[in-house]
């Protein structure tokens, strides 16, 4: 299966038109919860909970990626878009 948010792949392929599409891809891939009672029947799959993610995001003003060293530049960060979903 595919892992990650797939945002990097979409950006790399140019398969998007509006920036909102990138956020929707990220949200769709990150709206799952995992735990003992998730997935049903003891499987390890998560349960899609987009309403929980939407509620959490509604309390967020901005997304930041903190870097602990000035030695890194934007091009040094692997999968930069994958972690933020191109959120503003």
């Amino acid at each position: 299966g595919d892992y990650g948010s797939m945002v990097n792949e979409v950006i790399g392929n140019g398969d998007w038109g509006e920036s909102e599409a990138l956020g929707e891809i990220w949200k769709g891939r990150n709206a799952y919860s995992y735990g003992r009672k998730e997935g049903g029947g003891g499987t390890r799959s998560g349960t899609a909970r987009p309403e929980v993610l939407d509620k959490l995001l509604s309390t967020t003003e901005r997304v930041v990626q903190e870097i602990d060293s000035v030695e890194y530049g934007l091009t040094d960060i692997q999968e930069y878009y994958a972690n933020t979903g191109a959120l503003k």
Side-chain angles (χ1 to χ4, degrees), residues 27 30-34 37-39 46-56:
K27 281 174 47 177
N30 286 282
Y32 289 83
S33 61
Y34 296 86
K37 297 182 180 182
E38 301 296 333
T47 301
R49 297 189 189 272
E51 69 284 353
V52 173
L53 180 59
D54 286 338
K55 185 174 182 179
L56 291 170

Side-chain angles (χ1 to χ4, degrees), residues 4-73:
S5 70
M6 301 303 292
V7 174
N8 282 350
E9 290 77 5
V10 172
I11 289 175
N13 293 332
D15 293 339
W16 58 285
E18 301 291 327
S19 60
E20 290 79 14
L22 298 174
E24 291 302 316
I25 291 167
W26 182 87
K27 281 174 47 177
R29 301 281 296 185
N30 286 282
Y32 289 83
S33 61
Y34 296 86
R36 291 182 198 166
K37 297 182 180 182
E38 301 296 333
T43 65
R44 295 190 179 264
S45 60
T47 301
R49 297 189 189 272
E51 69 284 353
V52 173
L53 180 59
D54 286 338
K55 185 174 182 179
L56 291 170
L57 288 174
S58 73
T59 66
T60 304
E61 289 185 32
R62 66 182 55 102
V63 175
V64 249
Q65 182 173 13
E66 187 174 322
I67 307 294
D68 62 356
S69 173
V70 296
E71 299 293 322
Y72 296 105

